[in-house]
Amino acid sequence: MTTDPRPSRRVPAGAAVLREDVTDAIRAAVFEELAAVGFARMSIEGIARRAGVGKTAVYRRWKSKLALVLDLVSVFAAQGLPAPATGSLYGDVRALLEVASHALRHPVASQVIPDLLVEAARNPEISDAIKSALLDGQQGIAAVIVREAVARGELPEGTDPDRALDLTVGPLYWRLVVVRNDLPAGYLDDLAASAVAALSR
């Protein structure tokens, strides 16, 4: 019987596999803590207490409360908005507005992001992360919609995708997240038609 002369490698005490259910509980606690006290007053202690875990369980996953919050925003953004493919500019814009209206009613969008935007004015790291997590994906979708519309001859060459995004999701964000008004019947239809008319000029 041959014995392997190499010493066996012990798994470090802190290197246990992170349990997904604990990670999910901490993420839920982050949202609850943010909604209750805001980013400035949020603490790792409060998050751990809400999640029913020790602070070490939080710090094993994230190095700071900022990292925690940015992770929450990234997870929300990663759910993504699919690029519509209805075959017409109006159809694509209307489909985008339908999906965006549901996303903007999500608690992360309606409660957490406005608070983070206030903090972003003082913290460039938060500002950059929000832009990367939220705006970049939407800009990509707008670029697809505009490119397809140009290919169909519905929009002129050189149409700015950022302007398309401003004209579509911008008013929706203002109404649902900033003003917090419900959408009246036919609002998305009218907004889609207005955006298409403005882009087509």
Side-chain angles (χ1 to χ4, degrees):
M1 179 174 176
T2 304
T3 303
D4 189 341
R6 294 173 298 179
S8 60
R9 181 177 292 179
R10 287 183 70 242
V11 176
V17 175
L18 300 179
R19 288 171 46 190
E20 193 62 32
D21 60 329
V22 173
T23 302
D24 291 341
I26 294 172
R27 283 194 178 117
V30 174
F31 168 70
E32 292 170 4
E33 188 80 354
L34 269 173
V37 303
F39 179 81
R41 293 174 55 202
M42 187 181 79
S43 68
I44 296 295
E45 291 81 359
I47 292 165
R49 187 168 52 250
R50 286 181 185 273
V53 301
K55 288 191 296 181
T56 55
V58 180
Y59 282 118
R60 281 194 193 107
R61 293 161 171 82
W62 300 277
K63 62 182 180 180
S64 66
K65 72 175 187 178
L66 175 58
L68 261 167
V69 171
L70 297 183
D71 173 73
L72 183 71
V73 173
S74 297
V75 168
F76 169 71
Q79 298 170 3
L81 298 178
T86 66
S88 73
L89 176 59
Y90 173 84
D92 286 353
V93 170
R94 180 62 178 79
L96 174 62
L97 288 172
E98 185 68 38
V99 176
S101 70
H102 290 292
L104 289 174
R105 290 185 179 98
H106 190 284
V108 171
S110 62
Q111 297 181 44
V112 173
I113 290 176
D115 183 59
L116 290 181
L117 290 174
V118 173
E119 295 297 328
R122 298 186 288 266
N123 189 323
E125 190 174 359
I126 294 179
S127 177
D128 291 344
I130 290 177
K131 179 181 181 299
S132 176
L134 300 179
L135 182 58
D136 291 353
Q138 293 183 356
Q139 285 177 324
I141 293 170
V144 171
I145 291 175
V146 168
R147 185 176 67 243
E148 295 299 318
V150 170
R152 289 190 298 263
E154 294 179 280
L155 289 177
E157 291 281 353
T159 298
D160 184 3
D162 286 345
R163 181 167 177 260
L165 191 60
D166 291 344
L167 291 169
T168 53
V169 179
L172 196 60
Y173 181 89
W174 173 264
R175 188 175 190 99
L176 290 177
V177 180
V178 180
V179 180
R180 297 177 182 269
N181 281 347
D182 292 332
L183 302 182
Y187 177 84
L188 295 182
D189 296 331
D190 291 344
L191 180 56
S194 297
V196 169
L199 288 169
S200 303
R201 287 191 311 175

